[in-house]
Amino acid sequence: MAGGPAGEEGRPAGAVNGARRTAPPPRVPAWPGTPVPLGARFRTGPDGAAGTNFALWAGGAEAVELCLFDAHGGESRVRLTELTHEIWHGFVPGVRPGQRYGYRVHGRWDPWTGARWNPAKLLLDPYARAVDGDFTLPPEVYGHVRDWPERQVADTVRDDRDSAPYVPKGVVVHDDDDWSDDHRPKTPWADSVIYELHVKGFTRLHPDIPEPLRGTYAGLAHPAAIEHLVRLGVTAVELLPVHQFAHESHLLDRGLRNYWGYNSIGYFAPHAAYAAAGTTGGQVGEFKRMVRALHAAGIEVILDVVYNHTAEAGELGPTLSLKGIDNRGYYRLQPDPRRYADYTGCGNTLHVVQPQVLRLITDSLRYWVTEMGVDGFRFDLAAALARSMHDVDMLSPFLAVIAQDPVLRRVKLIAEPWDVGSGGYQVGAFPPLWTEWNDRYRDTVRDFWRHALPDVREMGYRLSGSSDLYAWGGRRPYASVNFVTAHDGFTLRDLVSYQHKHNEANGEGNRDGTDDNRAWNCGAEGETDDGRIRALRRRQVRNLLTTLLLSTGVPMLVAGDELGRTQGGNNNAYCQDNELGWVDWSLLEDPGWRAVSELTARLIGLRHEHPVLRRRAFFSGRAHSADGLRDLAWFTPRGTEMTEGDWFAPAATLGMYLSGRDIPGRDERGEPIRDDSFLAVLHAGERPVRFVLPAAPWAERYEVVVDTGREEQGEAPGEEHPAGAEITVPARTVLLLRVLDARHAATDGRTRPTR
């Protein structure tokens, strides 16, 4: 290979061409077609001719060629000659669903000004609704010469080798599904319990799912998978990314693959590797059938979406789609336009303030709602989307468009409210339409149960809905998505089994993954045969799950945590597409872990039964009746209400009283909502504590509903105690007690709405 001549000011320029010269591909004529909608749409054209309309926004491009591929990889090209508002378009008669295609976009090659057009590279349609093939990232798919000897300028030397044989193709899909038989659950936010899962990881090892369906959308739709979700009582699954994604080159070089999928390249296409029905369009129908099956079981579908960056990485990354269509239009560039602004830690950031980029994202979101049936989205690194030119701006174009969109403003919207750029941490700052992952809840609850909090002030806020973060602008307690674990980090079992990360299998020298785990291994690092340590770890798992499911806000569980799933201490299993990352269903054969699963289901059932555990408004902390009873009260082990000094003093025990008498709002019939009252006692100390049960007006008697110190068999204790009695709370235990008093009990079932 040889480089081209030097450009201005000594800049390397030109191209490298290692391809053999062959006859040019045959040309196919195109009719003018229309510039809308974008993408490939099969329809009836002029004179009743069936065909497909293709439309591609490519600002600044000089020419666009549509490339059609037959079953053997043979390529035919269609020159799109019509240009309307920077959209190149044409109608090709005879092109039907199943047709594989891509684009070649012509323009200047001048990386020094951010221009990276290279027609030798076949580009994926950003609006492709299905993708056939996998990204393996050989040198031919890079717009520049990947192995150029002068590394510092390699991205400026164009590579003219044809990438078509090495990249996946878009597939024409015909949308003709009738959703009239689908019934969306439409679960209110306050009643929601979210279950984060990976389509492949949740189903790959399930023994009751047929082998051909394991790891697929069809596998998640299988009755065996849905039965577990229904038994738990979760109201929504939050799927790790299912947009078509690519594997990073550094993983492929190490024989690994991207497992989580946070490396999107096709925002309209279900990831083809999760389809049992094939990759030439069958994945679309399979995904829709999965959504229908989950809806029929009363379960909503929320997608984890990655619109902040793409798989094309930085200037040394591959040219797969947007980079070759209009690099300067789609990506945020630095003042030196050779380089990319990176607020994501992944090499690039989409330029969301650009109208065409904003259109791509909102068109994608609406497509997944209206044509694929999903019920909401969790936005990865949402702060990057909320940036205007540089700073995070809660009046940014992205948030403004979402707020007024008649489709999107009605679905569930969850922000991961941070990015890696300056000023990117925005927990509590998103507008009222949004809910947020609350990492302060995660950190506080972890610290409490490892007895590392200096006092209990922070714990009080997190248990009661985080009013310090969300009680503004009309926001409600369900603005807080509470979680103790997520896909990113330790599993719940590993959180109580490992003090430090063990990510050696990732091949990065254990440098990847956070060091701030706030974990406690209960006395031994990793797995142990010590029965006392194992029993303590299970108790800690029960404590963390119970705390999560009794807290005000929206709880989020991670698939397999209720079974004791372990990743062997790996807190960054993004590249572990194997047994390490998959749910191990054989854990249910262990009576101890089966009891944890049963406790989880019982706690979720309590939430569904008792509106006092899923309030729609923040607590006031004020008395609403003459007897001085408040909707929320806090108690010390002495049975006395906490004083200002108690909140600032070191403590391992916290009593939280929730009154069912003072729940704001009315039920569907306009009646006041009445419920039982509860006392939760959380004790993180290493020794038992004597706790005096609050007397009148709080209660006359109490019944123990949950005792995490005695839940190994998954049975409720059921003991009763008179108010004012001193009881012993075992070390590291949560007690939930129901008030047995006619003044505090719900009057009838009508006033306690469930799912």
Side-chain angles (χ1 to χ4, degrees):
M1 293 187 294
E8 296 178 358
E9 301 176 8
R11 300 171 181 169
V16 170
N17 190 340
R20 293 175 298 173
R21 293 188 179 276
T22 59
R27 295 281 180 183
V28 177
W31 299 349
T34 62
V36 291
L38 291 169
R41 291 295 186 93
F42 175 73
R43 62 179 177 84
T44 301
D47 299 326
T52 300
N53 191 83
F54 295 88
L56 176 74
W57 183 90
E62 297 172 0
V64 171
E65 291 178 301
L66 168 68
C67 304
L68 305 175
F69 294 87
D70 63 26
H72 305 289
E75 178 182 353
S76 301
R77 296 186 185 179
V78 182
R79 176 79 67 162
L80 299 182
T81 58
E82 301 296 321
L83 180 61
T84 305
H85 304 309
E86 298 187 313
I87 297 173
W88 301 80
H89 55 91
F91 178 86
V92 185
V95 170
R96 294 183 168 274
Q99 173 66 57
R100 299 158 69 241
Y101 74 100
Y103 289 106
R104 298 182 188 274
V105 181
H106 299 254
R108 292 186 304 112
W109 174 263
D110 187 10
W112 301 92
T113 63
R116 294 183 178 273
W117 285 287
N118 184 347
K121 307 306 166 184
L122 186 76
L123 307 174
L124 183 68
D125 179 4
Y127 281 73
R129 301 195 172 193
V131 176
D132 180 44
D134 200 3
F135 291 95
T136 57
L137 305 188
E140 288 84 355
V141 307
Y142 289 77
H144 65 281
V145 181
R146 186 181 181 186
D147 54 356
W148 189 253
E150 298 176 74
R151 181 73 170 172
Q152 70 276 13
V153 292
D155 68 290
T156 68
V157 183
R158 195 178 73 189
D159 186 321
D160 281 343
R161 290 175 293 183
D162 184 10
S163 71
Y166 310 100
V167 294
K169 281 68 175 181
V171 180
V172 176
V173 175
H174 184 34
D175 296 311
D176 57 354
D177 283 271
D178 179 8
W179 284 89
S180 60
D181 63 340
D182 181 66
H183 301 284
R184 293 177 184 260
K186 297 182 180 179
T187 306
W189 258 126
D191 301 340
S192 296
V193 178
I194 297 173
Y195 190 76
E196 187 192 47
L197 67 81
H198 188 286
V199 168
K200 182 176 183 179
F202 185 71
T203 61
R204 184 64 187 85
L205 299 177
H206 199 299
D208 297 327
I209 296 175
E211 178 65 35
L213 303 185
R214 295 180 189 176
T216 69
Y217 307 118
L220 184 54
H222 190 273
I226 291 179
E227 187 278 333
H228 182 76
L229 301 173
V230 171
R231 185 184 65 80
L232 280 181
V234 299
T235 68
V237 291
E238 182 176 303
L239 306 183
L240 266 67
V242 295
H243 289 164
Q244 185 71 40
F245 62 86
H247 307 287
E248 294 90 331
S249 61
H250 68 90
L251 292 179
L252 295 172
D253 292 343
R254 296 201 300 271
L256 298 171
R257 295 164 64 85
N258 188 310
Y259 171 55
W260 288 348
Y262 292 90
N263 206 37
S264 299
I265 195 62
Y267 290 130
F268 291 77
H271 189 61
Y274 301 157
T279 62
T280 56
Q283 61 265 53
V284 178
E286 184 176 332
F287 185 94
K288 292 179 180 181
R289 290 188 292 275
M290 177 198 72
V291 172
R292 283 192 177 96
L294 289 163
H295 283 177
I299 298 170
E300 294 185 302
V301 179
I302 298 170
L303 302 188
D304 195 335
V305 290
V306 189
Y307 294 111
N308 53 76
H309 76 281
T310 77
E312 293 186 299
E315 60 271 12
L316 295 176
T319 297
L320 308 175
S321 182
L322 307 181
K323 185 181 288 186
I325 295 172
D326 184 2
N327 186 58
R328 294 178 297 189
Y330 278 108
Y331 293 114
R332 291 179 180 266
L333 303 180
Q334 294 185 20
D336 172 5
R338 265 185 68 195
R339 315 296 183 192
Y340 293 77
D342 184 8
Y343 296 110
T344 67
C346 300
N348 64 55
T349 307
L350 281 179
H351 203 350
V352 181
V353 298
Q354 294 279 19
Q356 71 278 1
V357 181
L358 189 58
R359 179 181 180 182
L360 171 68
I361 294 172
T362 53
D363 282 353
S364 168
L365 292 169
R366 281 189 293 268
Y367 171 74
W368 287 96
V369 174
T370 60
E371 299 192 39
M372 301 295 273
V374 306
D375 306 284
F377 305 94
R378 178 264 187 189
F379 292 82
D380 179 67
L381 300 182
L385 299 173
R387 289 184 180 270
S388 290
M389 293 310 296
H390 299 288
D391 296 332
V392 178
D393 179 6
M394 292 304 159
L395 298 176
S396 66
F398 173 74
L399 294 178
V401 166
I402 296 290
Q404 59 78 43
D405 189 282
V407 172
L408 302 179
R409 69 188 181 200
R410 290 185 171 89
V411 301
K412 287 183 166 65
L413 302 171
I414 306 171
E416 184 183 35
W418 52 77
D419 64 21
V420 302
S422 175
Y425 187 76
Q426 295 290 324
V427 172
F430 275 71
L433 187 64
W434 291 75
T435 64
E436 302 175 16
W437 271 24
N438 187 351
D439 67 329
R440 287 183 60 179
Y441 179 94
R442 175 200 64 197
D443 293 349
T444 300
V445 171
R446 288 186 179 194
D447 282 346
F448 178 82
W449 284 111
R450 67 189 182 110
H451 201 9
L453 285 178
D455 52 54
V456 291
R457 287 176 294 159
E458 186 85 357
M459 191 67 172
Y461 275 122
R462 303 306 146 235
L463 290 172
S464 59
S466 296
S467 60
D468 58 328
L469 299 176
Y470 301 111
W472 63 272
R475 302 189 83 180
R476 300 297 185 93
Y478 47 77
S480 176
V481 174
N482 299 330
F483 65 103
V484 177
T485 57
H487 65 275
D488 187 3
F490 281 146
T491 67
L492 198 56
R493 178 175 173 177
D494 288 355
L495 184 67
V496 300
S497 303
Y498 295 89
Q499 208 89 349
H500 309 287
K501 65 185 181 184
H502 296 268
N503 298 355
E504 290 81 6
N506 296 353
E508 299 176 39
N510 206 34
R511 295 183 299 273
D512 62 304
T514 182
D515 293 315
D516 183 20
N517 294 296
R518 301 172 188 254
W520 178 50
N521 63 18
C522 296
E525 186 71 358
E527 296 301 312
T528 177
D529 293 329
D530 190 316
R532 290 174 300 175
I533 292 177
R534 292 170 61 148
L536 175 57
R537 287 174 176 175
R538 282 180 174 162
R539 179 182 294 195
Q540 286 290 79
V541 166
R542 295 194 295 269
N543 289 335
L544 290 160
L545 284 169
T546 302
T547 303
L548 174 65
L549 291 167
L550 295 182
S551 298
T552 301
V554 178
M556 185 186 79
L557 301 158
V558 177
D561 272 354
E562 77 282 7
L563 310 177
R565 185 175 77 89
T566 177
Q567 293 176 170
N570 192 318
N571 74 351
N572 189 35
Y574 78 104
C575 56
Q576 297 300 323
D577 188 4
N578 49 48
E579 288 84 353
L580 190 69
W582 304 337
V583 173
D584 179 4
W585 293 94
S586 70
L587 290 164
L588 281 174
E589 299 170 7
D590 182 318
W593 291 120
R594 187 167 61 248
V596 170
S597 179
E598 292 167 354
L599 173 64
T600 304
R602 191 154 60 82
L603 289 166
I604 293 174
L606 281 172
R607 284 189 70 91
H608 292 326
E609 183 181 356
H610 294 287
V612 72
L613 300 178
R614 44 186 172 83
R615 288 172 55 104
R616 288 165 166 76
F618 287 105
F619 295 98
S620 70
R622 297 189 297 270
H624 294 277
S625 58
D627 60 10
L629 192 74
R630 293 189 295 282
D631 60 357
L632 175 68
W634 303 94
F635 290 90
T636 69
R638 301 183 301 276
T640 59
E641 290 191 66
M642 293 182 66
T643 65
E644 187 77 7
D646 291 326
W647 284 110
F648 284 83
T653 311
L654 187 61
M656 177 177 66
Y657 185 96
L658 307 172
S659 173
R661 246 175 38 174
D662 303 299
I663 301 175
R666 299 185 179 188
D667 67 13
E668 295 175 350
R669 298 177 178 85
E671 299 292 332
I673 298 175
R674 295 291 299 274
D675 194 13
D676 295 323
S677 297
F678 291 91
L679 174 69
V681 180
L682 296 88
H683 175 52
E686 62 183 10
R687 294 184 177 86
V689 65
R690 304 292 291 176
F691 194 97
V692 177
L693 299 175
W698 307 102
E700 294 177 357
R701 295 185 63 79
Y702 295 89
E703 174 194 19
V704 178
V705 178
V706 175
D707 179 348
T708 62
R710 298 174 57 186
E711 290 281 349
E712 190 70 22
Q713 302 305 316
E715 298 176 357
E719 299 95 338
E720 294 186 14
H721 301 281
E726 184 179 77
I727 63 173
T728 298
V729 181
R732 301 188 176 96
T733 293
V734 179
L735 289 182
L736 179 66
L737 304 100
R738 182 181 4 236
V739 172
L740 299 178
D741 183 343
R743 295 176 304 159
H744 300 270
T747 57
D748 59 57
R750 290 189 303 110
T751 60
R752 296 194 302 194
T754 63
R755 290 176 62 192

